[in-house]
Amino acid sequence: MSNQAQNISPVSVPLAAKKKSKENSVWRRLLKNKLALVGMIIIAIMVIFSVFAPLIATHPPNAMDLANSLSEPGVDGHILGTDNYGRDLFSRIIYGTQISLIVGIFAIGLGGMIGTLLGLVAGYYGGKWDAIIMRLMDGLFAFPFILLSIALMTVLGAGLFNVILAIGVANIPGFARIVRGQVLAVKEEEYIEVTRSLGANHSRIIFHHILPNCMAPIIVYATMNVAGAIISEAALSFLGLGVQPPTASWGSILKDGKDFLVLSPHMATFSGLAILLSVLGFNLFGDGLRDALDPKMKV
Amino acid sequence: MLRLILRRLVDLIPTLLVVATTVFIITRMIPGDPAAVLLGPQASPDEIAKMRESLGLNQPMYLQYIDFLGSLLQGDLGTSLGYHQPVLSLILERFPNTLLLSVCALAIALLIGIPAGIISATKQYSAWDYTVMILSLVGVSMPIFWLGVMLVLYFSVHLGWLPATGMGSLSEGFGSVITHLVLPSIALSTIPMATFARITRSSMLEVIRQDYIKTARAKGLREFFVVWKHALKNAMTPLLTVMGMQISSMLGGAVLTETIFSWPGMGRLVVDAIENRDFVVVQGTVLFIAVIFVLINLLVDILYTVVNPRVNLSNKGEG
Amino acid sequence: MSETILQVNNIKKYFPVKDSSLFAKPAKFVKAVDDVSFEVKKGETLGIVGESGCGKSTLARLIMQLIRSTSGSVIFNGQDLASLSEQELKKARKSIQMIFQNPYASLDPRKTVEQLVMEPLVIHQVGTHQERVQKVQELLEVVGLSDYHATRYPHEFSGGQRQRINIARALALHPDVVICDESVSALDVSIQAQVINLLKELQAKFDLTYIFISHDLNVVRYISDRIAVMYLGRVVEMGTYEEIYHNPQHPYTRALLSAVPKESPLVKKERMILTGDVPSPMNPPSGCHFHKRCPYATDRCKTETPALELFEGQHLVSCHLLGDIS
Amino acid sequence: GGQSSAPAQDGKGTGQEQAAAGEPKDGGVLKIGLSSTAKTLDPIAYTGAYESNIIRSIGDTLVRYSGDLSKIEPSLATEWKVSDDMKVYTFKLRDNVYFQPGKYQDGRKMTAEDVKYSLERSSKQSALKRLRGVQSVEVISENEVALHLEQPNAALLAMLTDGGNIVVPREEVEGWGDQFGQHLIGTGPFQMDKFNQDDSVALKRADKYWGPKPHLDGVEFKFITDANMMTNALRSGDIDVVTDVKGQNRAVIEKDQNLNLQTKPGLSIEYMGLNQNEGPTKDKKVREAIRMAVDVEGLVKGVFKWGGAEKSYLPLPKASWGYDSSLEASVPAFDPQKAKQLLAEGGYPDGFKTELYVIASRVPQATIAAQQLKDNLNIDAEIKTVEWGTFSDVVAKGKAPLYIMGWSWYPDPDFFLYQMFHSKQIGSLGNGYGYNNPEVDKLLDRATAETTDEAKRKEMYGQVMKMINDDVVHVELGLLDVATGMKKYVEDYQVRADSSIFLVNEETNVWLNK
Amino acid sequence: MSFDLRQGETIGIVGESGSGKSVTSTAILGLIPSPPGKIERGSIVFEGKDLTKLSQDEMRKIRGNEISMIFQDPMTSLNPVFTVGNQIIEVIRLHQQVNKKEARTRAIEMLKLVGIPEPEKRLEQYPHEFSGGMRQRVMIAIALACNPKLLIADEPTTALDVTVQAQILELMKKLQVDLKTSIIMITHDLGVVWESCQKVLVMYAGNTVEYANVEDLYQNPLHPYTWGLLDSQIKSDTVGKLPSIPGNPPDLRNEIAGCYFAPRCAYAQEKCFTERPPLVEVSLEHMVACHFQTADHRLKREGGEASE
Ligand SMILES: Nc1ncnc2c1ncn2[C@@H]1O[C@H](COP(=O)(O)OP(=O)(O)OP(=O)(O)O)[C@@H](O)[C@H]1O
Ligand SMILES: Nc1ncnc2c1ncn2[C@@H]1O[C@H](COP(=O)(O)OP(=O)(O)OP(=O)(O)O)[C@@H](O)[C@H]1O
Ligand SMILES: [Mg+2]
Ligand SMILES: [Mg+2]
């Protein structure tokens, strides 16, 4: 094709710029989507809360004042009232953001990653692989979450990491199933065969073509499950697997608040609202991201 | 079809073997001596030792494992350490209760979630759509215990319409079971309901753009039938997948719901058993649940062929 | 023109039919391609026509080694492609490229044009990234797209433009043979003309060999040097385009030719309308596959499979009634 | 606070109420909520206090505690005597006692053979050894049995009050086999009607009950595991009585016009165990420092915001006859300054890091205690919340540096002090801190072997508690109340310190005033 | 755009993909999804009634009954999850007061009419068990089940093979004769128009650019776009470089001031880019929208074949 060369105008756009422009376009699309923007703002606020908790919190999160426990919101400078130990609820929710965010994001990230990988392999290779992986997933799904968690704790000891691990592992089968279903559809697409005809190997086909085209349901499923992960964290801390008192997390505040639901509902309400807001944020962001990643969606 | 069912049942064997082995290992690995837990805080060390012996816990691990597999092969799930009853009968006593609760919750979730999703999709970007979507997010982030207590406070304590907890019994009449069923089913249905609404919406949005929907309209069909007959059946496939997953986790024991409403189901059985280190019951229930899951997946796969005649079962999942 | 570049020998592809009943014998097959042989010379265009489902795409896939043949061989530049290792095959693939039927489905919707066209270069690790970008620019130029198209996504293009992207991608590795599987069938007439012109131009420029699959006889005739007519997995007639168009021998070829719509509202055209559909390849009629729809069929056609025989020149026909039909 | 209204709520108070409410009425079914599921009611197999409460309505033991737990009273045995060597207990049996009819017998008369069978079954087969140290049971005559002990045991009668030692008919036990736990037959005021696994147990009046005729037609025990739901169920009318009322539910019940909360100090204590053999707490100075640094008063108030507990001083509940309030003064008061100093003397002027084991339901105690240790001594006690199985494993093996747990059993001090402080109990949960003091051991042994006289025994136990106090084994935390909520129309319901439920006996006969 | 159609007549609408053919036809049935689409102005008069003014309910009675439609792609136009029989019976029972059995009999008749063998058996099958040609016949059966007065065929043969296409066109012709149905035939294949239409409407980018009798259009096409279209058809005797229209259809989302075709038109002048040409009748029943093709001015057609 060298004989063509003289006709060709020099490459006008430098490469780096072009790459950027593509990423930019996803970003721009996200920013254009009002709901996604709301979602991002919520997430951004949470990130700010978790990073700057000491600056934002009005009280030390663990300072007890047993005489003034469960005081109403607004009383004595406690914006959201106090908890059952007289600790400032607002400050605890602010401090709790970090744990809850980390658990929500990383647990789903972990489960999502492994589940997606397994689903990709099962769906793409089919046959024996499919049967083995999916039946294993059935088995894993059958394991009670609590049993799984206690077992993990025994092997690895307690800690935040293991909360993430336990919740993550419990989320694997769901992702695997969703991804597998999607792969079964996508792998029949003609462009997959085209790629094969170009000489691409399996991993390129899987990761460069099938995976990007499976992202939409993965994102939606992941963002929907963040709430579950945040709530599960509380359940786990009661089994000794994970975040221990007095460390604050939304889930544990919520769970503690349960015992005062009738007389002092503010504990459960505000922590529940925090979870709800974050879920809203993640879902709006997730939906927006899904649309932004889909070049076909007009924003 | 028959072949598929048989193959799946054969598949079950290795699954169960893996599950059985894993659950065996895990139950032996976690701290907490069944004998000690069973005997309670007041037990003395030699009583515990005696108990261990009588439970066969002092045998070498491999012998216990062989024993376990051996009786499993004969369909014997063993005898509960705490209940002193055959595990299978414990499970079979509770499974119908869990089934009843799950089916009701599922029905509620479907009856509300799917129409909500459909209306949302047919009126995309309307106030309706936003309402349904926001509510569904509230639904997934609503902790069951919170919702359960609120429902009971309002409907049982405040209004006195419905019983707060328990399952009632058929001997008090069918109505007794029904009234006991209402609140737990509602509590249990929120998450699936929200999920169904979202899935239905996105899947309907896809379907409603298809040519055959245009065809149906061109026939002069009422919009109602276009949506509920022509579109819905086509939108069912992803819904079925999610439904299968939701049913699976419900039948595996809606632990929280059962605990809050004191519903005598599988979930409580298994959690109790774990806490009491009743390994035999844990093993039995986990295996049982595994079987149920595989069967539900199979059922879902069969349902695929019902809603979608194009799906060829024998190719699905094995091709 | 005389050097044979690609040779297909007695190739067969039987797809086993999965039966859902438990006790059925697994002996059922779709004979998608049933004993097809031909050779293609360097620089020539071989057209393949036939109805939907007659095995054209399967044949293309067999040549591309995207599916394994049941029997027979594909010899490319003297190499039997089926015997090659994974690595050697990957090398060979540089030389044979395919442009797929559906310009809408054959482009990954989540890749930009640049990524799509660059993909073969990446897969075969040709050049540095900078060189690849340069190359993509050239290729887009060649197929008549501008460089600002490079960052766009497939859905932003018309069918014709997409097919150009496909062509650019197929040309990226300087192939010797390009298989066009109904590459223009999905396009509008005016776009179709653009693409065909482009293909012809490129052929002249790069000395390409085409296997051009289509069901549109006018298009095939226009672009091809030789034409093979397929019916239900078999080649029923093959020859130069004059031979096929001006002296069609097989009744099916004639039906095909007569089915082409009128070219003017002024003429009255007597059309030979075939009855019935293409029979299922799973359950093909005995003897000559065409006999059920053939107005001339005799008893012999029902029982005996006709062989592909030389009629005259390069003209091969598979019909018992060869020469008997006027 | 429920405590302030105490006078009307102890055993005698109910008697006055009954008078005020008028003549008892017959009829109705009393529904009682229990906070845990009954798995089996077989006296030798059951494990939970909840189960024993059901068993008590179905069957009778030879003897029972009086309502205020002050003394042992006759039940199936009308009188008994102890041999001088304290190794033979002879019981005279009531004569008009009949079993409830069942599948394998039709309500026949109870005999001495039945007593022998039941007690031997309990002593030999019971998993929980509810009848320890009984060598054999001898049928002396038609209405007389003798228990032969391996060694003297002054706590035998207390053990005999346990629901695990009710008298059951052999035919039914053997007939039902494993299923007997769901088809318990006894001699009590109510007989089994329906056993709904995990849901409820329904009993109906037994016609041939030897005691006063029950006013109630039946009782239903409902299992409601969630404490808040239990209260809701009471308020909505699902049940008439809730046991084990805690936390906010106390206030909720007190506020409700239709409900009554009866509360009294119970037989449950809570304490923090200090490891005697490992870690910094090996040093007595450190232990003393810790004890002085915990503001128990504040802790109890903080945890029990709505009442239901008081500060505990001794490792024995006040409801036990062994309790000696004169010892309270010897327990040092909260004194952070002194504590800090002691800790410095112990070699940890800047505190140390340690772990505090606890189960989920006692996390509030742990949270406050840990915070106080941090604030007052700069000890970083990392809270380890674990579920019961793990907790009992870690603690029994002596691996918990600090742990918070509770203890409750019969009123006889033996069941507290021996279990928690005898070196023989090292390796079990009771003595999880590995306390070993030969003098204490000796005293504890003597207290059951030398005499059955309560006054003498009380003195010995007093000495034991003094030594324990000096050795700093526990930080005593709370002494918990037994609180029961009920509908106002429930009459003559006796709340007992051991939280056992007797619906019908010589002292009480519950009826519904509606 | 405007055109009129008499009973038993067939009009062809030609134009490239995206030129608005389908929108026009669905507009007649009142099926433009709204939002986003909406009929800006104008009227559609069917047997004296203005369809744009009818209520949804009235419109529903007309759809599938008096006016029915066959869509472009038989592969996707049948609902995959219902049997073919179900889909035919549905439309019959919708518009005719018949019971299930009668509807079934009628459905079998219809399948027979469109030439599907063993209709009783075929009724129970699902669309995916049919070949493309058969599916299109089923679509025709559905469309004709209620003897409509007007049939709109939106590219009924585009997705089909030549031999099957010929069969379908033949079938439609035959049915039109039998049932006296008027047909609007939408296509981008001029061959199909020559084959089956009396009148033809050429559309470009949503606008009518030319409207004439078929013979007239063939012999005397006026609009440059029509020329391009005619030229780029490959015929049995085409050799050499194919004449093709350069460029691509415009993006209608953007405002375009002048003639939509101007950017691709070899004859375009300044005026073409600023002013939209109206559709005018330049000779009897021959209308064209071009500034330079008027009653008294003609362009000289270059290249391609002269048809005078
Ligand atoms: N993977 C496969 N498994 C089973 N049968 C197949 C497979 N691929 C193709 N077939 C069958 O083989 C036959 C030939 O198919 P092929 O796609 O080659 O036809 P074609 O001539 O390209 O048709 P079209 O014009 O529709 O593209 C068809 O009957 C098809 O159903
Ligand atoms: N629902 C819709 N929303 C927005 N634009 C639409 C919609 N339907 C059609 N269009 C646009 O209207 C224009 C005309 O489309 P139409 O489908 O009528 O074209 P066509 O001539 O039928 O093309 P084809 O030959 O591809 O069927 C196109 O530009 C199309 O993008
Ligand atoms: Mg093909
Ligand atoms: Mg169209």
Side-chain angles (χ1 to χ4, degrees), chain E residues 56-242:
Chain E
Q56 273 296 316
D57 265 335
E58 291 167 310
M59 205 53 222
R60 251 200 305 275
K61 293 212 180 76
I62 291 180
R63 272 183 223 147
N65 190 19
E66 297 185 45
I67 306 180
S68 47
M69 185 150 179
I70 307 171
F71 291 101
Q72 195 156 1
D73 190 351
M75 298 313 208
T76 58
S77 297
L78 286 170
N79 196 326
V81 302
F82 294 106
T83 61
V84 161
N86 195 323
Q87 299 185 53
I88 305 177
I89 291 170
E90 183 179 44
V91 70
I92 296 172
R93 296 203 62 199
L94 201 61
H95 297 294
Q96 295 174 7
Q97 307 308 314
V98 293
N99 64 26
K100 251 196 188 130
K101 227 177 124 203
E102 288 163 338
R104 197 185 139 82
T105 319
R106 171 95 181 123
I108 293 174
E109 250 169 56
M110 287 313 299
L111 283 187
K112 234 183 256 166
L113 190 69
V114 296
I116 291 183
E118 298 182 89
E120 292 87 353
K121 214 178 98 195
R122 288 296 193 167
L123 222 47
E124 308 302 328
Q125 289 184 324
Y126 288 93
H128 72 276
E129 296 171 83
F130 285 60
S131 71
M134 285 164 83
R135 281 191 226 184
Q136 196 59 297
R137 276 180 241 183
V138 172
M139 282 301 297
I140 294 175
I142 291 176
L144 297 182
C146 298
N147 294 330
K149 305 204 172 88
L150 173 63
L151 175 67
I152 304 168
D154 186 359
E155 316 210 24
T157 59
T158 306
L160 301 176
D161 275 325
V162 267
T163 57
V164 181
Q165 177 182 39
Q167 286 175 14
I168 296 286
L169 289 180
E170 207 63 23
L171 173 70
M172 286 180 63
K173 251 189 261 175
K174 182 172 150 284
L175 293 175
Q176 184 176 27
V177 172
D178 292 353
L179 305 172
K180 298 265 179 307
T181 310
S182 309
I183 297 180
I184 298 176
M185 174 76 75
I186 296 169
T187 180
H188 61 240
D189 187 343
L190 284 166
V192 171
V193 173
W194 308 151
E195 200 74 57
S196 51
C197 304
Q198 284 90 51
K199 287 181 190 165
V200 59
L201 188 83
V202 181
M203 290 190 73
Y204 186 76
N207 282 43
T208 309
V209 293
E210 194 163 359
Y211 173 47
N213 283 325
V214 165
E215 288 84 7
D216 200 8
L217 187 92
Y218 180 75
Q219 287 174 301
N220 188 21
L222 292 177
H223 198 280
Y225 173 67
T226 314
W227 294 346
L229 212 54
L230 287 167
D231 290 345
S232 46
Q233 302 263 329
I234 304 176
K235 299 186 183 168
S236 55
D237 50 2
T238 311
V239 284
K241 191 170 155 72
L242 286 172

Side-chain angles (χ1 to χ4, degrees), chain E residues 16-23 33 36 72 155 188 252:
Chain E
E16 294 184 71
S17 186
S19 56
K21 308 183 296 285
S22 302
V23 167
Q72 195 156 1
E155 316 210 24
H188 61 240
L252 291 181

Side-chain angles (χ1 to χ4, degrees), chain B residues 57-123:
Chain B
L57 292 175
N58 53 352
Q59 279 187 43
M61 213 49 94
Y62 72 94
L63 276 184
Q64 290 184 37
Y65 181 63
I66 291 172
D67 264 9
F68 166 55
L69 284 190
S71 42
L72 200 61
L73 278 183
Q74 298 160 17
D76 176 12
L77 293 179
T79 302
S80 156
L81 309 180
Y83 286 90
H84 303 276
Q85 286 179 58
V87 170
L88 192 62
S89 78
L90 288 176
I91 293 173
L92 291 181
E93 243 172 89
R94 285 160 184 79
F95 182 64
N97 303 343
T98 297
L99 192 66
L100 179 67
L101 179 60
S102 315
V103 168
C104 281
L106 190 72
I108 296 175
L110 290 174
L111 288 179
I112 298 177
I114 292 184
I118 290 176
I119 294 173
S120 207
T122 49
K123 302 198 168 29

Side-chain angles (χ1 to χ4, degrees), chain E residues 20-37:
Chain E
K21 308 183 296 285
S22 302
V23 167
T24 307
S25 53
T26 40
I28 297 175
L29 277 184
L31 283 178
I32 299 184
S34 143

Side-chain angles (χ1 to χ4, degrees), chain A residues 158-180:
Chain A
L160 183 59
F161 174 74
N162 295 316
V163 179
I164 292 171
L165 198 66
I167 302 175
V169 168
N171 269 294
I172 291 175
F175 277 99
R177 247 186 245 181
I178 297 230
V179 173
R180 171 183 174 268

Side-chain angles (χ1 to χ4, degrees), chain A residues 188, chain C residues 13-18 29-33 48-61 67 101 181-182 185 213-215 230 232-233 279-282, chain E residues 75 159 161:
Chain A
E188 299 302 328
Chain C
K13 180 66 194 180
Y14 295 174
F15 290 109
V17 178
K18 294 208 177 101
F29 292 102
V30 174
K31 299 186 175 181
V33 171
I48 299 178
V49 287
E51 274 171 303
S52 178
C54 71
K56 305 183 295 289
S57 298
T58 306
L59 183 58
R61 289 195 173 90
I67 48 178
Q101 185 156 5
D181 184 2
E182 315 234 19
S185 307
I213 297 174
S214 177
H215 61 246
M230 282 184 76
L232 221 57
S280 150
M282 201 158 68
Chain E
M75 298 313 208
D161 275 325

Side-chain angles (χ1 to χ4, degrees), chain B residues 123-157:
Chain B
K123 302 198 168 29
Q124 200 187 358
Y125 302 132
S126 67
W128 238 107
D129 186 20
Y130 288 123
T131 313
V132 169
M133 285 306 104
I134 299 279
L135 279 184
S136 77
L137 291 183
V138 174
V140 291
S141 43
M142 182 112 65
I144 286 190
F145 70 76
W146 189 88
L147 180 66
V149 171
M150 286 303 153
L151 286 173
V152 166
L153 277 178
Y154 193 71
F155 290 100
S156 306
V157 176

Side-chain angles (χ1 to χ4, degrees), chain B residues 32 38-39 42-43 47 83-85 93-94 152-153 156 163-165 167 171 259-260 262 264 268 276-277, chain D residues 37 39 47 127-129 178 182 194 197-199 223-225 229 232 236 238 387 389-390 408-409 419 428:
Chain B
L38 205 60
L39 292 177
Q42 292 104 350
E47 282 164 11
Y83 286 90
H84 303 276
Q85 286 179 58
E93 243 172 89
R94 285 160 184 79
V152 166
L153 277 178
S156 306
T165 65
M167 184 173 146
S171 60
T259 309
I260 291 164
S262 299
R268 269 172 80 196
N276 292 318
R277 299 296 188 268
Chain D
T37 287
K39 294 183 174 127
T47 50
L128 272 115
K129 292 275 178 243
D178 271 349
Q182 276 72 46
K194 221 174 305 132
Q197 286 274 19
D198 279 1
D199 184 59
F223 313 128
I224 302 176
T225 31
M229 281 299 191
N232 289 336
S236 77
D238 278 19
E387 40 71 72
T390 311
S408 86
W409 212 348
Q419 298 289 324
S428 67

